[in-house]
Amino acid sequence: MKKHLLPLALVLASTAYSQPRPATNDRLPLTYSTTYQTPVFADSQRLEKIRKVFPIIDSLYRSHAVKNCFPGIAFGVVVDGQLVHAGGFGYTNVARKTAVTPKSLFRIASMSKSVTTMAILKLRDEGKLRLDDPAYRYIPELKKLPYLTADSPLITVRHLMTHSAGFPEDNPWGDRQLDDSPADLTKLIAGGLSLSNVPGVTYEYSNLGFAMLGAIITKVSGKPYQQYINDAIFKPLGMTHTVWEYANVPADQLAHGYRWLDNAWQEEPLLHDGSYGAMGGLITSIEDFGKYMAFHESAWPPRSNAETGPVKRSSVREMQQPWTFNNLAASFKYPSGRACPMVSSYGYGLRWSRDCEGRVYVGHTGGLPGFGSQWWIMPDYGIGVVAYGNLTYAGMAPVNWAVLDTLITTAGLKPRSVPVSNILAQRKAELVQLLPNWTNTAQNTIFAENFFPDQSLENRRKVVQQLYAKAGKIVRVGDLVAENQLRGRFLIEGEKATIDVFFTLTPEIPARIQQLDLKEVSN
């Protein structure tokens, strides 16, 4: 591999980057990197720590591109609802040596899928369809679909959204259908389809299913799904440079796709927009897609603030839930070599993964002839990354894992803490007053009816007094750390030992203590 073909040097530019820095000759590497201005974060120290990692992030993406012979790579980092850093290396057009910038427009392939499901949820929220409606209600040709068994359930809209309709995995066949017309799709369905599974029993990736979702959006909204998504989602989010048809992109902004073959880049022909665009046809920039990622981040945490997005926050969170189990990677390792098993499921047009440390990732990959991409957000950490490459099925997962892991580790980021509810704080204060002697417990109403039948007052008093004796003089009662609005823990620190106190409340109003566990922990 002629790795020297990819630009190596890093040229830093300010946020005023309307024109990339030109090369003085063909050998001067064309590169791009910029740090965006962003509103002050609630934790200014957190932002400063994150900023210090940007040079490492640039290096990780550049090294990944060089190692894998990408003609070009574009990437971005989204933090707390803002695109805070973006960059690129290499070329969008090899022949013309057009430099990659955060404004360059790449086809993002299956990263398009969540935009399609977001449109479905918007129509659902407007009362225009239901997720458990039979799909044939909107695509009549499906009514004659031959199912595998007599007891098969009907394919629903939700099945299509979660890759559980029973269609066979259709990569790479589906990639070549991108420019099929709506009439082509209708003809395919009317001619009969082969199923690999009974609907609703397992995950199997189906581009065809998402093409059907596009047809459903068209049917229900009364306009082409592309126009509906543009009007209902992209325009409200300010995504003014996201398009479906490559012919509408200015030549100096369009990323051409390539295949690495015989030690050289060979250009892949671009397909026009069609009925399968709902599964993978979007063309967008890091800048524009960063706004979409920011909207996904803004759905967290749940709160009572006024809605400001094109789709309800609760619907965005619904998209991000694990609806169909996909995979258990028992031997998963982060690029650093750290072993950490990972479980993955599919949401609504989104992948959901959770590792052995409880870190949750939400996003999607994308791959087409000429292109590869991936984005992740981490809802609990308020961070996300996105990367595009203009090489056939360019794998972005390894570098994105490395970037997120490095960002968390190097910046010392912690997950968002759960706010402590009033009732949880009240019960903690009441417990502290009560322990260790349980004085006047009979008159106390803070415990649920199961509490003392589960373990007698005498036994509880004995256990707690023994722990306090080991702890010695109490010097500090720690802050309450909430797991949710009705469960939490805190530490009681003594001169000789520390006691961990965990308690959980009932669903009553007022919520009462139903479980209380105390144990000694190391000082």
Side-chain angles (χ1 to χ4, degrees):
M1 293 184 181
K2 297 180 180 178
K3 295 181 180 178
H4 66 277
L5 291 175
L6 188 98
L8 299 178
L10 174 63
V11 179
L12 292 175
S14 71
T15 55
Y17 62 87
S18 57
Q19 296 294 330
R21 185 171 297 183
T24 55
N25 59 59
D26 288 347
R27 293 187 179 183
L28 181 65
L30 293 174
T31 61
Y32 196 91
S33 181
T34 184
T35 297
Y36 285 69
Q37 297 301 319
T38 183
V40 177
F41 288 89
D43 181 356
S44 58
Q45 187 176 12
R46 162 185 160 96
L47 177 58
E48 290 308 309
K49 290 177 181 178
I50 290 172
R51 287 185 185 279
K52 291 178 181 178
V53 189
F54 290 164
I56 302 174
I57 290 173
D58 291 343
S59 178
L60 286 169
Y61 281 117
R62 181 174 54 182
S63 297
H64 184 70
V66 171
K67 178 181 178 182
N68 293 283
C69 284
F70 293 174
I73 186 172
F75 57 88
V77 179
V78 179
V79 179
D80 296 343
Q82 294 286 332
L83 180 66
V84 297
H85 186 64
F89 303 101
Y91 311 112
T92 56
N93 186 319
V94 173
R96 295 184 179 182
K97 292 184 171 57
T98 306
V100 175
T101 80
K103 292 182 180 293
S104 300
L105 296 173
F106 285 70
R107 181 157 261 163
I108 62 170
S110 288
M111 281 173 51
S112 311
K113 286 184 167 65
S114 68
V115 173
T116 299
T117 55
M118 182 177 284
I120 290 284
L121 288 178
K122 184 171 179 64
L123 292 169
R124 187 276 310 272
D125 292 347
E126 294 171 348
K128 296 177 180 178
L129 60 75
R130 294 183 300 178
L131 301 190
D132 293 318
D133 282 341
Y136 76 72
R137 181 171 294 178
Y138 310 102
I139 305 176
E141 293 77 13
L142 282 173
K143 197 163 188 177
K144 297 181 180 179
L145 182 71
Y147 286 90
L148 293 178
T149 65
D151 66 353
S152 292
L154 296 173
I155 292 173
T156 67
V157 177
R158 194 191 306 272
H159 288 146
L160 298 176
M161 296 168 70
T162 57
H163 291 310
S164 59
F167 297 129
E169 184 276 324
D170 58 2
N171 287 322
W173 173 85
D175 295 345
R176 299 296 183 176
Q177 315 305 312
L178 195 62
D179 59 355
D180 282 8
S181 68
D184 292 331
L185 178 61
T186 299
K187 181 179 178 180
L188 173 69
I189 299 169
L193 298 169
S194 298
L195 294 174
S196 57
N197 289 293
V198 169
V201 298
T202 191
Y203 166 94
E204 192 162 4
Y205 196 83
S206 173
N207 291 298
L208 172 60
F210 272 76
M212 291 181 183
L213 289 172
I216 292 172
I217 295 169
T218 298
K219 175 75 171 181
V220 175
S221 70
K223 60 179 73 173
Y225 71 83
Q226 298 97 325
Q227 183 184 345
Y228 179 77
I229 292 172
N230 288 346
D231 294 343
I233 297 174
F234 294 156
K235 287 182 181 178
L237 291 178
M239 297 172 65
T240 57
H241 299 285
T242 297
V243 300
W244 300 89
E245 172 54 55
Y246 78 85
N248 296 331
V249 179
D252 62 343
Q253 295 180 21
L254 179 65
H256 292 243
Y258 299 87
R259 182 183 297 270
W260 182 256
L261 189 65
D262 297 330
N263 217 33
W265 289 314
Q266 296 188 8
E267 187 164 352
E268 294 270 17
L270 288 166
L271 296 178
H272 288 285
D273 182 37
S275 60
Y276 277 70
M279 70 83 180
L282 271 183
I283 300 170
T284 189
S285 65
I286 293 295
E287 285 190 348
D288 254 26
F289 198 78
K291 298 173 184 177
Y292 180 72
M293 292 174 61
F295 179 52
H296 272 273
E297 284 188 356
S298 73
W300 299 93
R303 57 196 183 277
S304 298
N305 301 34
E307 298 281 355
T308 59
V311 181
K312 294 190 300 184
R313 290 191 297 270
S314 60
S315 293
V316 177
R317 294 192 295 270
E318 182 182 350
M319 292 176 64
Q320 300 177 12
Q321 299 309 302
W323 289 98
T324 306
F325 173 76
N326 174 210
N327 180 54
L328 171 61
S331 58
F332 178 83
K333 292 183 179 180
Y334 281 98
S336 64
R338 186 177 85 260
C340 192
M342 181 88 66
V343 64
S344 298
S345 295
Y346 203 81
Y348 296 159
L350 291 169
R351 300 189 185 280
W352 176 97
S353 295
R354 183 171 183 168
D355 73 5
C356 66
E357 298 174 352
R359 295 180 183 177
V360 172
Y361 303 84
V362 175
H364 212 286
T365 54
L368 282 171
F371 299 96
S373 55
Q374 189 195 46
W375 67 285
W376 283 123
I377 62 167
M378 300 183 70
D380 294 336
Y381 285 81
I383 60 176
V385 296
V386 57
Y388 311 151
N390 55 341
L391 188 72
T392 295
Y393 304 129
M396 295 299 182
V399 67
N400 277 349
W401 288 125
V403 169
L404 285 171
D405 199 35
T406 300
L407 187 58
I408 290 173
T409 302
T410 306
L413 302 183
K414 302 296 182 183
R416 182 187 292 110
S417 60
V418 178
V420 176
S421 65
N422 291 336
I423 187 63
L424 205 62
Q426 178 183 329
R427 294 302 185 225
K428 175 206 171 182
E430 290 165 336
L431 275 174
V432 170
Q433 291 296 317
L434 191 67
L435 301 178
N437 297 318
W438 302 81
T439 305
N440 298 322
T441 302
Q443 291 79 35
N444 206 305
T445 60
I446 70 172
F447 298 106
E449 59 183 317
N450 68 288
F451 189 78
F452 288 116
D454 290 347
Q455 186 176 347
S456 70
L457 172 61
E458 291 74 17
N459 285 340
R460 289 184 184 277
R461 180 182 287 121
K462 179 179 179 182
V463 169
V464 173
Q465 288 180 343
Q466 288 175 346
L467 285 171
Y468 268 67
K470 288 183 179 181
K473 181 181 178 181
I474 302 303
V475 296
R476 180 178 178 272
V477 176
D479 293 334
L480 180 59
V481 178
E483 289 186 18
N484 58 38
Q485 299 299 290
L486 297 176
R487 182 181 302 123
R489 65 188 336 120
F490 62 95
L491 297 177
I492 298 175
E493 300 175 12
E495 290 181 336
K496 300 177 182 178
T498 297
I499 303 168
D500 176 85
V501 183
F502 169 84
F503 66 103
T504 184
L505 308 182
T506 64
E508 304 167 283
I509 295 180
R512 293 177 169 83
I513 299 171
Q514 60 172 311
Q515 180 181 352
L516 175 66
D517 299 320
L518 293 88
K519 63 180 180 180
E520 181 182 356
V521 296
S522 300
N523 256 351

